[in-house]
Amino acid sequence: MWVRVYTNNRRALQASEWLSSLGARDNGMRAVSTLALWSTIEVIVQRVPMTPRGYRQLQDKLHHLKAVERPSNIEEIEVARAHGDLSENAEYKFAKNRQSEIAAQISYCETRLALAQVIDPSKVSGERVVFGATVDLVDTDTEDEYRYQIVGEDEADVQNKLLSVTSPIAKALIGKEEGDEVRVKTPRGVRQFEIVGVDFIVALSEAGAGK
């Protein structure tokens, strides 16, 4: 979720100058001048695409954080506090830092779940590559074959052929169809792939597919 705040200083300045031209020098008019500051708040909510599997993973992680990690951390803090002199208590400082980390992770999971746009690949169809698509590729230089599925950021796992929708390869593939070629800048240089197949199935790691 992106939140952008804009303050229209030009209009505020114009209002202040106008008030000054009327001889607004007393405290009351200065208060009115302050109220002349017009602000525009633009809130842009960006949905987070994920597969049902990715959604379950986040739910499981959130449950583990709340039911296991947080209670354990609270106990660690109490034990460390019992050792006395918190200013030089390394265990206490570590436990408190861990408490902040857990709180941040819980907040992250809750936000992602609240903004989740769950897309079931098995219910998607078409010829073009979109989120959830499983894409068969051929490296046009080496003729090596690859199969990847485009999934959410939090469920990406290259070892299991699950590509994040925000990755360079996924971005290059989105909107393309079988027969198209794409060029992707990678750490090894620019590589060119031909799309030889587009399908919509369950996650590759669950289906046991992929090279």
Side-chain angles (χ1 to χ4, degrees), residues 19 23 26 33 40 42 45 67 78 82 87 97 118 130 168 191 198 202 207:
L19 288 170
D26 63 290
S33 179
T40 301
E42 178 186 355
V45 178
E78 292 304 317
S87 63
N97 287 336
V118 182
V130 296
R191 300 177 64 183
V198 178
V202 296

Side-chain angles (χ1 to χ4, degrees), residues 92 182 185 201:
Y92 178 78
V182 297
K185 183 179 294 186
I201 58 176

Side-chain angles (χ1 to χ4, degrees), residues 22-175:
L22 296 179
R25 298 180 182 279
D26 63 290
N27 291 335
M29 289 304 287
R30 286 199 188 97
V32 174
S33 179
T34 300
L35 293 177
L37 181 63
W38 292 318
S39 299
T40 301
I41 300 178
E42 178 186 355
V43 180
I44 304 174
V45 178
Q46 182 174 320
R47 301 300 299 275
V48 181
M50 61 185 71
T51 66
R53 174 178 176 272
Y55 190 84
R56 291 194 302 271
Q57 287 179 331
L58 273 179
Q59 285 183 314
D60 291 343
K61 181 178 180 180
L62 179 60
H63 179 267
H64 181 75
L65 286 167
K66 289 184 173 182
V68 180
E69 295 286 345
R70 187 162 60 183
S72 176
N73 174 249
I74 291 175
E75 183 177 344
E76 291 173 349
I77 291 175
E78 292 304 317
V79 171
R81 183 181 283 117
H83 293 166
D85 193 3
L86 302 182
S87 63
E88 297 183 4
N89 191 326
E91 292 182 4
Y92 178 78
K93 292 179 180 179
F94 177 83
K96 290 295 290 184
N97 287 336
R98 179 56 183 157
Q99 183 182 52
S100 297
E101 293 174 358
I102 292 173
Q105 290 180 41
I106 288 175
S107 177
Y108 177 84
C109 289
E110 290 178 336
T111 299
R112 301 292 278 189
L113 289 170
L115 296 176
Q117 179 183 9
V118 182
I119 301 173
D120 187 344
S122 66
K123 297 180 180 179
V124 180
S125 61
E127 298 179 350
R128 293 187 177 278
V129 178
V130 296
F131 180 89
T134 296
V135 188
D136 293 306
L137 304 170
V138 172
D139 187 313
T140 57
D141 292 325
T142 65
E143 296 188 354
D144 288 336
E145 298 180 356
Y146 302 90
R147 163 170 272 204
Y148 294 110
Q149 182 175 34
I150 300 176
V151 299
E153 289 182 90
D154 299 299
E155 54 188 312
D157 182 352
V158 178
Q159 296 298 320
N160 285 314
K161 310 307 177 184
L162 302 175
L163 288 181
S164 168
V165 67
T166 60
S167 67
I169 296 180
K171 288 181 177 180
L173 293 173
I174 294 293

